[in-house]
Amino acid sequence: MTSLRSSGYVDPGWDHGTAQDVKKKKVRCNYCGKVVSGGIYRLKQHLARVSGEVTYCEKAPEEVCIKMKEIMEGCRIGKKPKQIEYDEQAYLNFPSNDDVEEEEHVGYRNKGKQLVGDKGLVINMAPLRSLGYVDPGWEHGIARDERKKKVKCNYCDKIVSGGINRFKQHLARIPGEVAPCKNAPEEVYLKIKENMKWHRTGRRHRRPESKQASPFYMHSENEDEDDEQEEDDTQIQQAHLLMTNEKLLLGDKKRFTTDSRRSEPFSKKPKPEGIIVHSPKTQSQIVSGKVSRKEVMSAISKFFYHAGVPTHAANTPYFHKMLEMVGQYGQELVGPTSVMLSGRFLQDEILTIKTHLAEFKASWAVTGCSILADSWKDVNNRTLINVLVSCPRGLHFVSCVDATEFVEDVTSLFKFLDKYVDDMGEENVVQVITENTPSYQAAGKMLEEKRQNLFWTPCAASCIEQMLEDFLKIKWVAECIEKGQKITKLVYNHIWLSTLMKREYTGGQDLLRPSFTPHSSSFLTLQTLMDHRVSLKRLFQSSKWLSSQVSKSEEGEEVEKIVTNATFWKKVQYVRRSVGPILEVLQKINSDDGLSMAYIYNDMYKAKLAIKSNHGDDARKYGNLWSIIDSHWNSSLNHPLYLAAYFLNPSYRYRPDFVMYPEVVRGLNSCIVRFEPNSSRKVSASKQISDFGSAKADFGTDLAISTRTELNPAAWWQQHGINCLELQQIAVRILSQTCSCYGCEHNWSIYDQIHNQRQNRVAQKRLNDLIYVHYNLRLKERQIRKMMPNTSTSMDTLLQENLLYDWIVKPEKQPYQDDEELCSEMEQGDLYENGLVEYEEGRKGSLQVVTLTDIESLDTHPVNNGEDEDDDLNFLDDGLSDS
């Protein structure tokens, strides 16, 4: 039987709506402008004002409404029943309690459903409702209308629209269509969740129907349902095509006749876990039993190698969770197809992430949020911008945009930033953080002129990275970095040498110290060389080194001379004392806590004082460093938000040494004016400043005093600022922000792999969805690691190589023969097995900055000569010891 669509029939609903996509899944109403998802059938429900699945159209003419109702009634009455070939034994089996709800909604929705048996006999089967079945959901809710479309929850009193099925989603806390019930007892939650067989995918499963019966079906007017049916049939067919001829020959033939769950291999059937399809065990599987661990590891490794998956992916919690779930399921698991991975399950993951985002957004009314625009260049020299949203609840990735064409165009850049302010809600946005380039500065000023209630803020981490870059222009600093790179290049380009160093001299520790930015990684690595200077001297004076051919090469002799030269280490110590405090500030900004706004002003001030103290208050030693810091501070970091946060932080405000600088007061006033549009509330907030400064009312209680340094500043204001509501609102929003736009590690991006070629619109959307899920899962993984005790932040090998490229890579040279010999002597295979040759990503403290207290005390003594014979070395320290 041909469908109405194939015979040229045009649904009358199209007279009143316009398709919004190629598949006609979304239709715009011509009267109210609403875009209805679900095809023309949903639009007709919208126009006919049929309750339950779509909102009414209030603007449609009455005659259109009546006409659509008549059409809808005609569809219900005149619609021919679907004819299904049914096994006699199959339909006589009464469904179990777990399947009752599924059958009620799908298999028996129309009374007197007709089934065609093998002999053409038509059998009328009564629906479950007429057999006395009562859905278990009614034990926990009360119907509020005759059609039972609205149900009131017995626990939270919420009225849920959509019938008992939607109400059970409410009790089972299934996200996507209804808010979860937080008051329902745990046993009720578990019982209803078990009852909801389709809770993983969010779709109701139809009763299994044979492939042979499909030609007799009338096409449904609901295009969405037809498309879902076709999609699922295609996916299951593809899964079954993966079976080998051996399985088809040896498999149990009875599964096609007696087992109702496997009676039609290509029909739509429920999939309990959403990603699994059962296949029968073969005789070879039964005979073989369990495979060895080595075979399993080999199979996993081959997948990584064949698919080009980076090996550090094995460290993610999602990989181990996958292995655990596969092991629990058993041998019958057939994995998902590529269609499943890029289709339904990708969308399910997006839905989960957006549900998590909704929780973030609920807090923005109180804490506000920051929009981060992190610019970076990929391997193809394209400028990409990662757009993220930061709040105390965490980070959320929004999108990754190729901005190569407009990153220098101020107007385009302004429109780009302004769009995301609209998307997040101007009332929620406290600041937009970007790099401090001229184009971003101009676009930020345009944004502040249009949006009077937010700030454009230069990234503090980016500004500090620029400071470090300027430090490298100092002669001695550049010299130390260059010589340090020669040491690490020699060590890490000879496997036997790096292995010997870790095993016998550094206690398994690496010389490389990656951080979030290239320059900070360089200075941290230089600090590590300083920490291991004694071990390095012993290494390059050992018999194994002296007997190697590398030691006799020009490169080896040069590195040995550097390591054993005392003047070099004095210069490294000078660099360490100069840069260490700045690295501490950068590390704090990019910590997992992220709420660095409250501390940045004070931390930079303390860093300057620490540098001065480290050099014994000798202006010759720190003067040029202070000049670099001040030039960047005055142009970028002296921001009203940083100044106001310093004033409002109770851990600073009540200290005896607190100084109310004029610039701090001006910064606070600017924030009050910008964040409070109401004139009377502005005045109230200004008056309340004195109450906070003098610790009046709740600010002066014993609890408030004892928690000034213990509580997060924003949390302290929420708890103790209740008598100064206007100032409290401003303080909480300021103190809840970050001051860095470095939200993601750039090597996370899969942009290179999937955006090198032009894509059609459908493929492009799918790829954008993949990026969205990828980034947010990585952010979630970082959040999980942060919550786990005794877990340090780790970076993968690829990122280390990118950040420390100049410390590792050197021109290719012919390897020395003794390298291979020594490597063999030191049990090379054992080294690889234990991972000693690779970077130790999980090493505790791999990202920790050496604090000021860790810097050893050195006596000041002039040095008149050294290897470099510089005239101005007379103020370097001469107190280094090899102990």
Side-chain angles (χ1 to χ4, degrees):
M1 181 182 295
T2 60
S3 67
L4 292 175
R5 281 188 284 248
S6 61
S7 63
Y9 169 74
V10 178
D11 195 291
W14 292 115
D15 295 335
H16 311 284
T18 307
Q20 299 295 300
D21 59 347
V22 177
K23 298 182 72 175
K24 298 183 179 180
K25 288 284 191 71
K26 296 183 178 181
V27 187
R28 181 184 294 276
C29 177
N30 291 345
Y31 303 105
C32 65
K34 177 180 176 62
V35 177
V36 180
S37 298
I40 194 61
Y41 186 79
R42 288 284 187 272
L43 177 69
K44 290 191 290 186
Q45 289 182 315
H46 170 68
L47 295 170
R49 300 171 188 168
V50 176
S51 62
E53 294 179 323
V54 68
T55 57
Y56 298 164
C57 179
E58 302 292 347
K59 299 182 179 180
E62 193 64 26
E63 58 271 17
V64 174
C65 177
I66 295 173
K67 180 181 177 181
M68 289 299 110
K69 282 185 177 179
E70 292 175 353
I71 293 173
M72 297 291 292
E73 289 296 327
C75 290
R76 293 194 189 96
I77 298 172
K79 195 170 183 179
K80 295 183 180 180
K82 295 182 180 180
Q83 298 176 342
I84 308 171
E85 286 190 8
Y86 240 76
D87 189 318
E88 291 183 3
Q89 181 64 32
Y91 83 80
L92 289 175
N93 288 335
F94 195 83
S96 65
N97 290 335
D98 289 341
D99 296 331
V100 168
E101 175 63 10
E102 175 186 349
E103 300 291 348
E104 177 187 352
H105 281 282
V106 182
Y108 302 98
R109 181 173 295 171
N110 298 322
K111 292 185 178 181
K113 184 84 172 182
Q114 294 184 342
L115 305 176
V116 180
D118 293 336
K119 299 180 181 180
L121 179 64
V122 177
I123 305 172
N124 291 330
M125 295 191 68
L128 289 175
R129 294 190 193 96
S130 63
L131 297 176
Y133 169 73
V134 178
D135 193 287
W138 292 114
E139 299 176 8
H140 314 285
I142 303 172
R144 306 295 293 178
D145 59 346
E146 294 183 0
R147 300 184 63 188
K148 299 184 178 181
K149 289 289 185 180
K150 295 184 177 181
V151 186
K152 182 178 180 181
C153 178
N154 291 345
Y155 306 106
C156 66
D157 294 330
K158 178 180 176 63
I159 297 178
V160 179
S161 298
I164 191 63
N165 207 48
R166 187 70 54 79
F167 175 65
K168 290 195 293 183
Q169 293 183 52
H170 168 69
L171 293 175
R173 304 169 192 169
I174 298 174
E177 295 181 330
V178 66
C181 180
K182 298 181 180 179
N183 299 334
E186 190 68 19
E187 59 271 15
V188 173
Y189 157 69
L190 295 174
K191 177 182 177 182
I192 299 300
K193 184 176 180 181
E194 178 67 22
N195 181 263
M196 300 291 285
K197 286 294 185 180
W198 50 273
H199 75 275
R200 281 296 181 96
T201 61
R203 288 185 174 90
R204 300 168 183 167
H205 300 298
R206 296 173 177 81
R207 187 179 182 85
E209 299 166 350
S210 68
K211 181 180 178 183
Q212 292 81 359
S214 59
F216 299 99
Y217 285 9
M218 284 285 292
H219 283 266
S220 169
E221 293 186 38
N222 188 340
E223 297 178 5
D224 188 35
E225 294 179 1
D226 290 342
D227 291 336
E228 288 182 10
Q229 174 76 30
E230 294 169 4
E231 177 187 356
D232 286 345
D233 290 345
T234 302
Q235 293 173 354
I236 295 180
Q237 288 179 32
Q238 291 177 347
H240 279 274
L241 287 175
L242 298 175
M243 297 180 181
T244 61
N245 291 334
E246 178 187 3
K247 287 187 177 182
L248 292 175
L249 290 172
L250 297 178
D252 188 357
K253 296 182 180 179
K254 293 183 180 181
R255 68 190 180 93
F256 291 100
T257 55
T258 60
D259 189 348
S260 62
R261 290 180 60 87
R262 299 181 181 176
S263 58
E264 296 88 13
F266 300 122
S267 65
K268 179 175 174 62
K269 61 175 70 177
K271 301 179 284 295
E273 293 299 326
I275 62 170
I276 51 177
V277 179
H278 295 275
S279 63
K281 295 180 182 178
T282 63
Q283 291 180 4
S284 59
Q285 287 175 322
I286 297 173
V287 172
S288 62
K290 288 187 177 180
V291 296
S292 66
R293 183 178 184 275
K294 183 177 180 181
E295 291 176 297
V296 175
M297 294 301 174
S298 176
I300 294 173
S301 301
K302 286 178 182 177
F303 165 74
F304 274 75
Y305 306 148
H306 176 266
V309 179
T311 54
H312 63 258
N315 297 331
T316 68
Y318 302 106
F319 175 73
H320 296 285
K321 182 65 175 178
M322 176 191 70
L323 296 181
E324 178 186 344
M325 298 299 291
V326 170
Q328 290 178 3
Y329 186 86
Q331 298 183 25
E332 293 185 350
L333 176 68
V334 175
T337 65
S338 61
V339 176
M340 294 179 179
L341 292 175
S342 62
R344 172 180 300 176
F345 302 116
L346 180 60
Q347 297 305 314
D348 288 345
E349 200 61 48
I350 289 176
L351 180 62
T352 302
I353 293 171
K354 290 188 174 180
T355 302
H356 193 54
L357 175 61
E359 299 175 2
F360 280 23
K361 286 185 175 180
S363 68
W364 292 354
V366 176
T367 64
C369 67
S370 298
I371 296 177
L372 318 181
D374 180 12
S375 300
W376 58 288
K377 289 185 179 294
D378 67 355
V379 293
N380 296 319
N381 205 35
R382 293 175 299 182
T383 299
L384 306 179
I385 301 179
N386 291 343
V387 181
L388 304 98
V389 181
S390 171
C391 68
R393 298 290 298 273
L395 277 171
H396 177 79
F397 174 82
V398 180
S399 65
C400 183
V401 179
D402 185 351
T404 308
E405 300 296 329
F406 66 85
V407 71
E408 299 299 332
D409 183 356
V410 174
T411 303
S412 299
L413 205 54
F414 156 70
K415 292 179 179 179
F416 171 78
L417 298 175
D418 188 61
K419 171 185 175 296
Y420 287 100
V421 174
D422 276 331
D423 292 345
M424 301 304 136
E426 181 181 1
E427 69 280 1
N428 297 321
V429 180
V430 175
Q431 62 174 345
V432 176
I433 308 179
T434 70
E435 289 184 347
N436 194 30
T437 62
S439 57
Y440 272 120
Q441 289 177 5
K445 290 180 180 178
M446 293 175 64
L447 187 66
E448 286 185 338
E449 290 175 2
K450 179 180 178 181
R451 310 284 187 174
Q452 296 294 320
N453 298 323
L454 57 81
F455 282 102
W456 167 78
T457 309
C459 174
S462 177
C463 294
I464 294 177
E465 178 73 357
Q466 291 173 7
M467 289 182 194
L468 297 177
E469 184 177 2
D470 288 345
F471 287 163
L472 288 173
K473 298 175 183 178
I474 300 175
K475 177 182 176 182
W476 294 355
V477 176
E479 179 186 321
C480 290
I481 293 292
E482 181 182 354
K483 290 185 177 180
Q485 289 173 351
K486 290 181 180 180
I487 297 173
T488 56
K489 284 178 181 178
L490 178 72
V491 171
Y492 286 100
N493 281 275
H494 296 84
I495 294 177
W496 71 271
L497 185 57
S498 62
T499 302
L500 175 65
M501 177 195 72
K502 288 189 221 178
R503 173 169 281 189
E504 298 186 16
Y505 296 99
T506 63
Q509 296 184 356
D510 259 309
L511 301 179
L512 301 175
R513 290 278 296 277
S515 183
F516 297 93
T517 60
H519 294 309
S520 62
S521 299
S522 292
F523 282 108
L524 282 173
T525 299
L526 194 64
Q527 287 188 0
T528 308
L529 290 176
M530 185 69 188
D531 293 336
H532 293 295
R533 68 183 183 280
V534 176
S535 299
L536 288 172
K537 287 181 181 180
R538 290 171 53 210
L539 170 65
F540 284 97
Q541 292 173 350
S542 66
S543 58
K544 289 184 179 179
W545 163 256
L546 295 174
S547 62
S548 68
Q549 292 186 19
V550 183
S551 66
K552 301 174 179 62
S553 66
E554 181 180 349
E555 180 188 15
E557 290 178 351
E558 182 183 9
V559 170
E560 181 181 340
K561 194 173 184 180
I562 292 172
V563 171
T564 56
N565 181 263
T567 303
F568 167 71
W569 294 114
K570 291 183 176 69
K571 291 181 179 180
V572 174
Q573 180 75 331
Y574 168 81
V575 174
R576 177 177 179 173
R577 290 182 165 187
S578 303
V579 181
I582 299 297
L583 292 176
E584 289 187 34
V585 177
L586 182 61
Q587 181 66 27
K588 191 171 183 179
I589 289 174
N590 287 320
S591 66
D592 287 329
D593 293 335
L595 304 181
S596 51
M597 179 69 73
Y599 308 100
I600 178 64
Y601 181 86
N602 185 71
D603 287 346
M604 285 302 302
Y605 182 74
K606 285 175 58 180
K608 286 183 61 178
L609 295 180
I611 293 172
K612 180 180 178 181
S613 175
N614 289 345
H615 292 301
D617 295 344
D618 189 341
R620 295 181 304 158
K621 298 180 181 180
Y622 70 83
N624 54 350
L625 303 170
W626 269 34
S627 298
I628 294 173
I629 295 173
D630 290 339
S631 65
H632 289 282
W633 177 264
N634 295 331
S635 63
S636 305
L637 298 178
N638 203 11
H639 193 278
L641 279 174
Y642 302 160
L643 300 170
Y646 170 69
F647 183 93
L648 296 170
N649 189 337
S651 63
Y652 300 148
R653 180 63 186 84
Y654 297 114
R655 285 190 345 196
D657 59 347
F658 178 82
V659 179
M660 193 179 299
Y661 296 106
E663 62 181 12
V664 174
V665 178
R666 280 193 292 268
L668 178 61
N669 292 337
S670 297
C671 291
I672 293 175
V673 170
R674 189 162 282 271
F675 291 144
E676 184 50 74
N678 185 280
S679 299
S680 61
R681 291 176 62 86
K682 284 180 187 175
V683 174
S684 298
S686 299
K687 291 180 178 179
Q688 292 162 3
I689 293 175
S690 61
D691 293 343
F692 167 63
S694 56
K696 292 182 180 179
D698 290 284
F699 293 124
T701 63
D702 293 339
L703 182 61
I705 294 172
S706 62
T707 55
R708 286 171 181 172
T709 58
E710 302 297 327
L711 280 179
N712 174 280
W716 186 89
W717 268 94
Q718 285 182 304
Q719 184 173 350
H720 303 294
I722 52 179
N723 282 342
C724 302
L725 297 180
E726 290 79 12
L727 186 60
Q728 179 197 48
Q729 180 181 0
I730 296 172
V732 170
R733 290 173 72 86
I734 293 174
L735 296 170
S736 298
Q737 307 310 314
T738 183
C739 57
S740 170
C741 66
Y742 291 163
C744 301
E745 297 170 13
H746 296 157
N747 72 302
W748 290 358
S749 178
I750 52 177
Y751 206 96
D752 294 333
Q753 292 90 329
I754 66 178
H755 281 275
N756 281 333
Q757 297 179 351
R758 292 183 179 273
Q759 308 283 347
N760 61 47
R761 291 180 61 185
V762 176
Q764 185 66 47
K765 181 184 182 302
R766 185 182 297 115
L767 297 178
N768 289 337
D769 290 344
L770 183 60
I771 293 174
Y772 179 80
V773 171
H774 174 76
Y775 265 108
N776 280 296
L777 286 178
R778 295 298 295 264
L779 289 170
K780 185 177 180 181
E781 177 191 2
R782 192 164 71 181
Q783 189 76 6
I784 292 173
R785 290 184 182 277
K786 169 188 167 184
M787 297 171 62
M788 295 172 62
N790 303 322
T791 302
S792 60
T793 304
S794 63
M795 292 187 181
D796 55 65
T797 305
L798 177 62
L799 179 58
Q800 293 189 34
E801 292 177 352
N802 290 339
L803 291 171
L804 294 165
Y805 182 87
D806 293 332
W807 292 80
I808 303 173
V809 180
K810 69 174 183 177
E812 290 290 335
K813 291 185 179 180
Q814 186 70 24
Y816 296 96
Q817 183 65 30
D818 68 327
D819 291 1
E820 299 177 2
E821 296 174 356
L822 282 173
C823 212
S824 176
E825 293 174 3
M826 299 171 66
E827 303 176 5
Q828 181 180 11
D830 181 58
L831 298 176
Y832 276 103
E833 179 68 24
N834 291 283
L836 291 176
V837 175
E838 298 182 1
Y839 304 136
E840 297 175 355
E841 298 173 1
R843 179 168 60 87
K844 184 177 180 182
S846 60
L847 292 178
Q848 294 177 350
V849 180
V850 179
T851 60
L852 300 178
T853 55
D854 296 328
I855 299 178
E856 59 186 280
S857 177
L858 300 177
D859 297 330
T860 303
H861 185 78
V863 178
N864 296 322
N865 55 11
E867 180 197 8
D868 302 301
E869 295 297 336
D870 286 316
D871 295 335
D872 53 350
L873 292 180
N874 56 347
F875 62 80
L876 285 176
D877 297 317
D878 195 25
L880 284 173
S881 64
D882 291 343
S883 57

